[in-house]
Amino acid sequence: MTAKKTNSMKLSDLHNGESAIIVKVYGHGGFRKRILEMGFVRGQKVVSILNSPLKDPVKYSIMGYEVSLRHSEAKMIEILYESEADDLIVAANIARDNTIVQNDGCLQSNACHKPEKHLAYRKNIINVALVGNPNSGKTSLFNALSGRSEHVGNYGGVTVDAKKGHFNYKGYHINITDLPGTYSLSAYSPEERFVRKHIFEKMPDIIINAVVASNIERNLYLTTELIDLNPRMVVALNMYDELEASGARLNYETLGEMIGVPMIPTVAKSRKGLDVLLDTVIDIFENRNKVARHIHINYGTTTEPEISALNDMIRASNDVPQQFPARYWAIKLLEQDLEVERILSKCKDYSQWKKFSDKAAERLKNQTNDDVETLISDAKYGFIAGALQETHIAGTLDSNKKTRYIDRLVTNKWLGFPIFILLMWFMFMATFYLGAYPQEWIETGIEKFGNLISEGIPDGPIKDLLINGVIGGVGSVIVFLPNIWILYLFISFMEDSGYMARAAFIMDKIMHKMGLHGKSFIPLIMGFGCNVPAIMATRTIESHSSRLITILINPFMSCSARIPVFVLLAGTFFPHHAGTVLISMYLAGILIAIITAKVFRKTFLKTDETPFVMELPPYRMPTARTTLKHMWDKGEQYLKKMGGIILLSSIIIWFLSYYPQTQSPNDSAIETAQTEYRQKNIFDTANGSAQTDLPAPSGKEDADEGAQQYEQSYLGRLGKFFEPVMKPLGLNWKASVAILTGLVAKEVVVSTLGVLYKNEEEAALSKTLLTSGDFTPQSALSFMIFVLIYVPCIAALAAIGQEAGNKKWALFAVVYNTTLAWVAAFAVYTIGGLF
């Protein structure tokens, strides 16, 4: 028996006549105090009685009297339907000891239906948001707490979306959300807007603020931003071992008392301090922690009076959103935060607040010659410096000494590029040559497995499906698993060590000439793994036009799904130069991306440049466990593709290539000749003679028959329809079909060729392609160029439409990329024919 999942509901969701139990009351200050005084406390039953004509306010019955609440106020009260009680009691038992307690009378007893019993499980659920700067070890902390294995990269932008996990600890069920790394909570970048929106809409019970202990002054700026929001919060002083190794000392207990936020030293990779961190989370949740309190950061004698005056105006309103305190709204209005202005514009007194804030900002500008944002930032850093002066002693050891030495080498203007190119060359050569050995072993295993199946099953559609469809299709792709693993091993190591951020740094000048900047480089490099997360990683780019150009050129970065195509054709038709051809494909993709970016920047995306600002984190030696886990995860995703989309595609391709069954005019003649040959052979053998008067059928008729069957099949007809378009590229109808099926996923190109070129005598697809005569070296090169450039897979197209903010850009990518692919492939085939 499993408990039905219950969704978090707000009092504003309750319909007339419905009743519920109050679970939590959110909000701050006077609003929260007033609501609690009116009886809206945890465990009380509330009934929705009547909506006003405009559905705001709403009348509720609670504790024997009626109360009117606005919709915005009711939205701050979490409720639970009474009918969910039994399910939650069962869930509580499961969470407690993984068994359903049947004998304590709780499931049958009427006592279980008291309001407090409804909360037996729900009140022990803690929703936690994990917030921190990029490179603060936030995702490592998330993995250590939740048990999940999200990829941890030593550069900004790895977490491009919220990741969720959950676990049980000391009777509490903790839901934890890993939010994107951000330096502040303004509306400057997508990450800042995303994090603030999550806190505003989801209202987490506790925020864990991940702070790099060895770089505490810079990291505490985000902490001061969170203090303005007045959430219940604990600071995880992550990588505390690095602070201690530097010789620095931090009186974190005193610092926590000064700023009203408990501080816990942690080392995520060794799980040090995590139990204390979780104990503190529970204490804050249960209002037992004596350190946690709300403080106001003083913004100075000129700024503070303006904040206070605007704060009083906003507090007097009864329709201001209660998720954040009035003081926070006042600060952001003075900073002219566009997102905050949009949220507050629905309030009836907004125009009055806006008028006052604009005049106040102008007054401050005239008095100080600085804008409000600068004044507030300076005050925050002043607050941080004052707190650290009493609690922090800088280390005598230079913790960044090693980083500076390495940077002198890898970012040197003469050595930086050769080192980068050498690393890329080594990565791709290793991907091809090291992967060739296990690839051969897998190929042999698939051949033996195919022979075993072939011997045990009689001829017919089922046998043909298994041999030519499943084994021929999936088997032809799975052999490239070692290449995928090796590629991700190198990418993971460069990300985790911190070198990838240096690659972006040395590439900034080149990216600037493309009309982009260094931050665009990391999503492009990530595209060598998979275009989908790489396109999502463009959220770290503040400039809209730069982000859009990076999204559109990302599919030209040859993703790992194209590796099977390149390795197959390069190894078959260029056996002595396969590594060079493989590298050339990647370089061609980069060159096309550069040209495309230049064209876009010169034409319809001319403006919206932003300066290049990117953190260069200290070098860290990646742990073997983390790197190998990342490599394994990517291989696991590849295997799941084998059992999912590629298996399904292979079966569909087999069906379309097997049906309709055709009979040529000489079928019966061939069959008769074969039958007579077998009968005569049996007769002569029985009489001790090995001679026959009939020649043995050569098998050529069977091969011709198979080719004719494929050509007349549904798939063949489809390929024939597109063949005139692809013929100038040196490609026949089979290649056309493979390109069409590659729209699903690029690996399917190889599985399609595996089905169409399956040969019982030649188990290896490469040998079959070589002997078929359908490909020449120049047509194989043309095919690879087309696969490199043409329309990305469906998942990448969906990511383009989502991240670009308009589906028309996905359609643009289809038309532009495919047209460019045809032109480039035609040029390669034509020029290749001249030589």
Side-chain angles (χ1 to χ4, degrees):
M1 180 177 178
T2 58
K4 180 177 70 177
K5 184 179 178 181
T6 58
N7 296 316
S8 173
M9 285 186 60
K10 301 298 186 291
L11 185 57
S12 56
D13 299 324
L14 207 61
H15 299 294
N16 284 351
E18 293 182 335
S19 61
I21 303 299
I22 295 173
V23 176
K24 288 182 183 178
V25 177
Y26 298 92
H28 303 274
F31 163 79
R32 180 180 171 85
K33 186 173 184 293
R34 181 170 62 88
I35 288 291
L36 294 174
E37 287 172 349
M38 292 167 66
F40 289 87
V41 294
R42 187 166 68 184
Q44 284 296 333
K45 180 179 176 180
V46 60
V47 181
S48 176
I49 298 178
L50 181 67
N51 285 343
S52 70
L54 296 178
K55 297 186 177 181
D56 199 8
V58 179
K59 187 185 291 185
Y60 299 97
S61 173
I62 187 167
M63 297 181 71
Y65 66 100
E66 297 177 354
V67 179
S68 177
L69 290 182
R70 290 182 176 273
H71 183 83
S72 60
E73 295 173 332
K75 198 174 181 180
M76 303 298 295
I77 301 172
E78 185 178 341
I79 60 169
L80 185 68
Y81 279 127
E82 291 182 274
S83 58
E84 295 176 325
D86 289 345
D87 288 334
L88 289 182
I89 291 166
V90 172
N93 292 331
I94 294 172
R96 186 174 63 248
D97 54 18
N98 294 322
T99 58
I100 301 173
V101 180
Q102 300 284 0
N103 300 321
D104 64 357
C106 190
L107 291 181
Q108 291 79 25
S109 170
N110 289 330
C112 291
H113 294 278
K114 292 181 180 178
E116 58 268 22
K117 288 293 184 180
H118 290 246
L119 307 173
Y121 176 63
R122 180 63 189 91
K123 72 178 181 181
N124 289 338
I125 294 178
I126 306 176
N127 296 315
V128 175
L130 190 52
V131 180
N133 288 178
N135 310 311
S136 62
K138 189 168 48 61
T139 304
S140 297
L141 200 59
F142 172 78
N143 291 343
L145 290 172
S146 68
R148 290 187 59 176
S149 297
E150 297 296 341
H151 178 223
V152 181
N154 192 14
Y155 64 87
V158 173
T159 309
V160 294
D161 209 339
K163 298 181 178 72
K164 298 180 180 179
H166 57 85
F167 57 96
N168 294 327
Y169 181 80
K170 293 188 176 179
Y172 290 83
H173 183 78
I174 299 176
N175 299 313
I176 185 167
T177 303
D178 179 23
L179 296 174
T182 179
Y183 294 106
S184 73
L185 296 178
S186 302
Y188 180 59
S189 72
E191 287 76 26
E192 292 169 349
R193 291 193 294 271
F194 185 96
V195 172
R196 189 168 66 182
K197 183 180 178 183
H198 178 90
I199 297 172
F200 180 81
E201 294 182 351
K202 304 299 181 182
M203 295 179 291
D205 299 313
I206 306 291
I207 288 177
I208 296 178
N209 177 207
V211 166
V212 180
S214 59
N215 192 10
I216 191 166
E217 184 173 7
R218 207 285 310 281
N219 278 242
L220 281 180
Y221 184 84
L222 179 60
T223 308
T224 62
E225 292 262 283
L226 290 167
I227 287 173
D228 285 338
L229 292 180
N230 189 21
R232 293 191 285 179
M233 178 170 62
V234 57
V235 167
L237 294 167
N238 205 20
M239 294 179 268
Y240 200 78
D241 53 338
E242 292 184 6
L243 178 141
E244 293 177 323
S246 71
R249 293 292 176 266
L250 177 67
N251 188 340
Y252 57 86
E253 293 177 342
T254 301
L255 179 60
E257 290 172 358
M258 290 173 66
I259 68 173
V261 181
M263 295 191 161
I264 309 298
T266 61
V267 182
K269 63 183 180 182
S270 63
R271 300 188 60 83
K272 180 181 177 182
L274 297 192
D275 287 344
V276 180
L277 178 67
L278 293 176
D279 289 339
T280 306
V281 166
I282 293 171
D283 285 345
I284 295 174
F285 179 73
E286 297 292 358
N287 298 312
R288 295 194 298 252
N289 190 280
K290 296 180 181 179
V291 174
R293 61 189 175 90
H294 180 51
I295 66 166
H296 286 171
I297 297 171
N298 190 303
Y299 290 108
T301 54
T302 55
T303 309
E304 194 63 42
E306 304 288 3
I307 293 174
S308 298
L310 188 53
N311 172 51
D312 292 341
M313 293 172 64
I314 295 173
R315 285 183 64 187
S317 173
N318 58 6
D319 66 344
V320 66
Q322 298 295 330
Q323 286 91 332
F324 298 153
R327 181 178 170 85
Y328 177 80
W329 297 124
I331 293 169
K332 290 303 171 184
L333 277 179
L334 285 171
E335 290 182 329
Q336 298 180 330
D337 187 302
L338 295 178
E339 189 67 17
V340 165
E341 290 178 357
R342 184 190 64 79
I343 293 171
L344 297 182
S345 63
K346 300 172 185 177
C347 301
K348 66 178 185 298
D349 296 325
Y350 168 71
S351 59
Q352 181 184 350
W353 305 337
K354 175 63 175 166
K355 185 177 180 180
F356 180 89
S357 64
D358 288 345
K359 288 184 176 179
E362 189 176 346
R363 284 194 296 271
L364 290 171
K365 176 79 172 176
N366 293 333
Q367 292 173 30
T368 64
N369 290 324
D370 276 322
D371 57 42
V372 177
E373 279 187 287
T374 302
L375 293 172
I376 288 178
S377 295
D378 288 347
K380 286 182 185 294
Y381 277 116
F383 170 80
I384 294 166
L388 291 179
Q389 188 172 5
E390 299 184 32
T391 57
H392 182 255
I393 300 173
T396 54
L397 297 177
D398 186 357
S399 59
N400 290 323
K401 188 176 181 180
K402 177 184 69 174
T403 293
R404 282 199 296 272
Y405 278 141
I406 298 174
D407 276 346
R408 285 177 189 173
L409 182 67
V410 301
T411 64
N412 182 277
K413 69 175 182 177
W414 301 112
L415 297 176
F417 282 107
I419 289 172
F420 173 71
I421 293 169
L422 182 65
L423 284 173
M424 293 295 107
W425 176 85
F426 183 74
M427 178 174 74
F428 294 126
M429 294 296 281
T431 297
F432 183 84
Y433 289 109
L434 289 181
Y437 296 101
Q439 185 182 341
E440 191 176 328
W441 304 333
I442 296 172
E443 215 169 55
T444 303
I446 290 170
E447 180 182 349
K448 290 181 179 179
F449 181 66
N451 292 336
L452 187 67
I453 296 293
S454 181
E455 292 170 3
I457 299 178
D459 292 341
I462 299 299
K463 178 179 178 179
D464 200 83
L465 170 62
L466 291 174
I467 300 296
N468 294 337
V470 176
I471 298 175
V474 176
S476 59
V477 180
I478 202 172
V479 296
F480 300 103
L481 178 62
N483 305 94
I484 304 294
W485 266 334
I486 292 169
L487 178 68
Y488 271 107
L489 177 67
F490 280 94
I491 290 177
S492 179
F493 183 85
M494 287 192 293
E495 289 176 351
D496 298 346
S497 65
Y499 176 75
M500 199 68 87
R502 271 70 185 182
F505 176 78
I506 65 174
M507 290 296 291
D508 177 53
K509 192 168 185 179
I510 293 177
M511 301 303 289
H512 185 72
K513 290 183 181 297
M514 292 168 58
L516 303 173
H517 53 69
K519 273 193 176 180
S520 297
F521 183 70
I522 286 177
L524 295 179
I525 286 291
M526 289 176 69
F528 288 141
C530 179
N531 294 138
V532 176
I535 290 168
M536 294 173 67
T538 59
R539 294 177 189 176
T540 59
I541 304 169
E542 292 86 0
S543 164
H544 174 72
S545 65
S546 294
R547 184 164 66 251
L548 184 54
I549 292 174
T550 309
I551 288 170
L552 293 175
I553 67 174
N554 202 286
F556 298 131
M557 301 295 104
S558 183
C559 67
S560 60
R562 295 179 175 100
I563 285 181
V565 183
F566 298 157
V567 171
L568 171 67
L569 294 177
T572 301
F573 296 97
F574 307 94
H576 302 299
H577 306 285
T580 304
V581 172
L582 186 64
I583 294 170
S584 299
M585 287 298 107
Y586 284 88
L587 292 177
I590 293 169
L591 180 63
I592 291 164
I594 292 172
I595 295 171
T596 298
K598 287 284 287 183
V599 170
F600 288 175
R601 181 59 80 188
K602 293 287 186 184
T603 53
F604 55 91
L605 291 169
K606 294 180 180 179
T607 57
D608 202 13
E609 282 286 351
T610 55
F612 173 59
V613 180
M614 184 172 181
E615 182 182 0
L616 293 178
Y619 289 102
R620 294 188 176 96
M621 179 57 69
T623 62
R625 181 181 180 277
T626 301
T627 303
L628 292 175
K629 187 70 174 66
H630 182 214
M631 182 187 79
W632 172 257
D633 287 344
K634 293 301 178 183
E636 190 177 30
Q637 289 176 20
Y638 191 72
L639 287 172
K640 286 178 180 177
K641 261 190 181 179
M642 299 299 105
I645 192 169
I646 291 175
L647 175 61
L648 180 62
S649 300
S650 297
I651 292 171
I652 292 172
I653 292 163
W654 170 85
F655 179 86
L656 294 175
S657 67
Y658 192 79
Y659 294 103
Q661 287 289 300
T662 59
Q663 273 210 326
S664 64
N666 65 343
D667 267 354
S668 53
I670 294 171
E671 216 171 291
T672 303
Q674 291 176 334
T675 304
E676 288 179 3
Y677 172 78
R678 285 194 294 269
Q679 289 176 345
K680 185 73 167 80
N681 190 51
I682 293 169
F683 176 79
D684 288 341
T685 304
N687 286 283
S689 171
Q691 302 295 320
T692 63
D693 296 331
L694 293 171
S698 64
K700 184 177 183 302
E701 294 88 348
D702 288 337
D704 292 340
E705 197 74 14
Q708 186 181 11
Q709 166 59 37
Y710 277 139
E711 200 163 340
Q712 296 302 318
S713 68
Y714 297 122
L715 200 63
R717 294 170 190 177
L718 184 65
K720 284 288 183 181
F721 178 79
F722 285 99
E723 189 176 39
V725 179
M726 306 306 291
K727 198 167 184 179
L729 314 183
L731 306 175
N732 66 358
W733 67 269
K734 292 183 181 180
S736 304
V737 168
I739 285 170
L740 285 172
T741 57
L743 294 174
V744 179
K746 293 298 178 279
E747 300 98 333
V748 180
V749 171
V750 174
S751 66
T752 302
L753 293 174
V755 172
L756 295 178
Y757 283 96
K758 182 64 182 174
N759 189 315
E760 295 292 345
E761 296 177 1
E762 298 284 0
L765 177 56
S766 57
K767 294 178 181 177
T768 309
L769 287 175
L770 200 59
T771 57
S772 69
D774 289 347
F775 285 93
T776 62
Q778 61 260 40
S779 65
L781 200 58
S782 166
F783 187 82
M784 284 189 280
I785 286 290
F786 195 93
V787 170
L788 169 70
I789 305 172
Y790 88 120
V791 55
C793 67
I794 292 172
L797 282 175
I800 289 173
Q802 178 182 340
E803 298 303 320
N806 195 318
K807 298 293 187 291
K808 72 176 183 180
W809 292 113
L811 180 61
F812 173 83
V814 171
V815 176
Y816 177 80
N817 292 29
T818 306
T819 304
L820 186 62
W822 193 95
V823 172
F826 176 76
V828 166
Y829 182 70
T830 304
I831 295 170
L834 298 176
F835 295 97

